[in-house]
Amino acid sequence: MEVLRITGGAPLHGAIMVSGAKNAALPIMAASILASAPVHLRRVPNLTDVDTLSLLLGHLGVVVKRQATNSIQIDTVDLRPCKAPYRLVRRMRASFCVLGPLVARRGLAIVPLPGGCQVGSRPVDLHLRGLAALGAEIEIRHGYVIARAKRLRGAAVSLAGPHGPTVTGTANVMAAATLASGPTIIRDAAREPEIVDLGNFLIALGARIEGLGESTLHIAGVEQLGGANHEIIPDRIEAATLLLAAAMTRGSLRIERLNAEHLTAVIEALIVAGATLEIAPNRIVATGPDRLRPVRIAAAPYPGLPTDVQAQFMALAAIADGTSRISDGVFPQRFLHAAELTRMGASIALGNGAATVRAIPGLSGADVAASDLRASAALVLAGLTAKGTTTIRGLVHLDRGYERLDEKLAAVGARIERASPISAPRPAPRLAS
C-alpha cells in the first residue's frame, strides 16, 4: 500500500480548481436507478467511491460508462436485479442510497446494512421508518434489509434524528417518493447542498419536488421518470480543506470553481482564526496569518459547520495560539484523528463530548495512519505545517473522497509525494525522559 510523505514548512501559493462533490455524485448515481432513459453526469470526481458505486450499479443492471475525465453516462439495461452485493456495500455508507430507488422502481430491494468510515454509530432506522411510511414492507434478515412494495404511496414522513436530520436518509426517502402514488411531505429533511443537488437532478428527470433547501419537502409522485443531463455541484468539503491549507501554511491560495454560499460557516470560522479571505461567488482567495487564533466550533447540520471539516479544524487548532474547543453535534464520537495528531505533538484532551486543543510551539513530523476519510485530510494539513517529514498511511481513505489532492497541493508548492512504504523513512525511536 502506498503512503504519503510530506516535508512540512512550505507556504502554498497559486490556484487550485475544486472537483465535483463526492457527497452529491454518489446519491445522484444511485438515484439514476429511477431513470427510464440515459443519464449524463458532468463533473463527477474520479474517486474510488465513485468506482465502487459504479461496480455496485453494474450488479443491479445499470451500466456506468466514463465518457471523459469527469463525465459519465448511466443506462439501465436490466430491471430484474434487486440484490446489492455485500462486498461492495460494506466499503461505503453512501451505497445504501440504492435502497429507496430500487424498491420504488422495481418493487424489491435487498441491500446489506452499510459500511464506511469509522465515525461512531450511524444507524439507518430513519431510512427504514421513512420507507415504511411510504408503504414498503421492511425486514432485516442475515444482515440485509429487504424492502418490498407493489407501488409506494405518498405519506407524511419525519426524518428528525437525535443528532439532526439524516442526510442519506433524506436522499433515500426523497428519491423513493418521486415514484409513489400521491403526495409526500418530508418534515425535518436535511438541507445540505448535496440534497438540493439530488433534488434538482430528480426534477430534471421529471420529478415534482418543492421546498429544496428547506426543512420541509413536498413531493408529488409521478408514474415514470426519464433521463437527464446534470452537472454535479462543487465539493464544499474539498474547498474548505484547501482554504484551511492556505491558512495553516501562511500561504495564499485562489480556490476556484466553488460555491461560496455553501461555505458560510467555514468562512466565518476561518475569519475568527485570523485568515484573510477575498470572496467572490465562485472563487475565494485565502491568505494565512503569521499566527492563527484559537477557535470554538461545533459541527452541526447545514447551514452549520460541516462535520466533514471538524477533523481539519482540529489540525488548524493544533497550531493556533491559545486554547480551542471543538465539538461535533452530528457524530459526537468522531475524534479518532485526535490520537494521530497527538503523535505529531498536538496537545488535545477529550472529554464531555468535546476536544480541548492547547497551543504548542509547533507540530513535528511523524508516522501516522488515517482512520477515516476526513481524518486523512486532517493529517495532510498537519503534515504541511509540521517540522520534518510526516508519513501518512491508510491512503485508501483519502482516495475515497479527494481527487488527486496530493497532486493539487504539489502544484502550489507543497513538498508531498506518494511512495511505497519500504521507501518511506522510519521514525527515530523516542527515548523516555
Side-chain angles (χ1 to χ4, degrees):
M1 299 292 288
E2 291 181 318
V3 299
L4 272 187
R5 190 164 58 201
I6 306 172
T7 301
L12 305 183
H13 293 278
I16 300 181
M17 191 172 294
V18 175
S19 298
K22 172 187 87 84
N23 290 343
L26 297 178
I28 286 173
M29 291 175 64
S32 297
I33 291 171
L34 298 166
S36 59
V39 167
H40 300 269
L41 301 178
R42 302 183 305 281
R43 292 196 71 190
V44 179
N46 189 5
L47 304 169
T48 56
D49 270 11
V50 171
D51 294 339
T52 298
L53 187 56
S54 297
L55 290 173
L56 189 154
L57 290 173
H59 283 273
L60 296 173
V62 181
V63 176
V64 181
K65 295 180 181 179
R66 191 168 288 277
Q67 297 178 310
T69 303
N70 293 109
S71 297
I72 61 175
Q73 176 174 315
I74 303 177
D75 292 281
T76 296
V77 296
D78 189 349
L79 290 172
R80 293 172 297 175
C82 295
K83 183 174 182 179
Y86 169 73
R87 66 181 180 84
L88 295 176
V89 175
R90 67 181 294 272
R91 296 183 190 176
M92 62 177 188
R93 183 176 180 81
S95 56
F96 200 66
C97 286
V98 302
L99 180 69
L102 273 178
V103 69
R105 179 85 194 281
R106 304 183 187 181
L108 173 64
I110 306 172
V111 182
L113 292 168
C117 287
Q118 303 176 45
V119 293
S121 176
R122 306 212 292 186
V124 296
D125 57 312
L126 293 174
H127 300 237
L128 306 186
R129 186 195 309 169
L131 293 174
L134 296 178
E137 298 178 5
I138 306 288
E139 63 176 314
I140 299 177
R141 187 189 307 165
H142 306 302
Y144 282 80
V145 174
I146 303 171
R148 294 185 176 88
K150 289 185 178 179
R151 187 183 181 188
L152 298 174
R153 59 180 183 272
V157 179
S158 172
L159 295 179
H163 302 296
T166 166
V167 177
T168 52
T170 300
N172 248 330
V173 177
M174 178 171 65
T178 61
L179 290 182
S181 173
T184 294
I185 300 175
I186 302 177
R187 296 188 174 90
D188 304 300
R191 300 169 58 190
E192 273 71 6
E194 296 80 11
I195 290 296
V196 175
D197 201 30
L198 170 62
N200 286 329
F201 167 73
L202 292 169
I203 290 171
L205 294 179
R208 298 167 62 190
I209 304 172
E210 295 180 355
L212 291 174
E214 304 296 331
S215 58
T216 300
L217 299 176
H218 294 266
I219 304 169
V222 298
E223 291 287 339
Q224 180 176 285
L225 296 175
N229 290 279
H230 183 78
E231 181 172 290
I232 304 298
I233 60 172
D235 194 320
R236 63 192 174 109
I237 307 304
E238 181 193 7
T241 302
L242 296 171
L243 292 171
L244 267 74
M248 291 175 63
T249 64
R250 304 180 188 175
S252 183
L253 290 178
R254 186 172 71 253
I255 313 302
E256 299 179 337
R257 289 186 73 177
L258 53 72
N259 187 327
E261 291 184 356
H262 297 167
L263 294 161
T264 301
V266 171
I267 289 169
E268 291 174 353
L270 280 170
I271 291 173
V272 169
T276 300
L277 303 178
E278 300 173 26
I279 303 169
N282 61 354
R283 180 185 69 253
I284 298 177
V285 178
T287 303
D290 289 336
R291 288 295 299 175
L292 289 162
R293 296 194 292 261
V295 294
R296 293 181 67 87
I297 61 173
Y302 190 83
L305 190 85
T307 180
D308 280 351
V309 298
Q310 178 257 107
Q312 296 92 308
F313 267 100
M314 190 177 294
L316 179 147
I319 62 170
D321 288 334
T323 299
S324 298
R325 189 177 189 276
I326 297 173
S327 61
D328 196 325
V330 181
F331 297 122
Q333 301 173 353
R334 194 176 197 175
F335 289 122
L336 291 177
H337 44 275
E340 297 303 292
L341 290 172
T342 301
R343 287 176 55 81
M344 301 179 69
S347 176
I348 303 172
L350 300 179
N352 299 319
T356 300
V357 188
R358 293 182 172 85
I360 57 170
L363 295 173
S364 299
D367 196 339
V368 294
S371 58
D372 60 72
L373 169 52
R374 305 309 172 183
S376 66
L379 295 177
V380 170
L381 294 180
L384 292 174
T385 70
K387 182 178 180 180
T389 299
T390 297
T391 301
I392 303 175
R393 303 173 190 276
L395 298 191
V396 62
H397 297 295
L398 186 73
D399 293 340
R400 286 184 51 222
Y402 288 91
E403 184 177 34
R404 302 182 295 103
L405 180 62
D406 51 324
E407 296 178 25
K408 290 183 178 182
L409 292 173
V412 293
R415 293 174 292 193
I416 182 172
E417 64 176 351
R418 289 191 179 233
S420 63
I422 193 170
S423 66
R426 295 182 180 180
R430 296 184 178 182
L431 301 179
S433 56

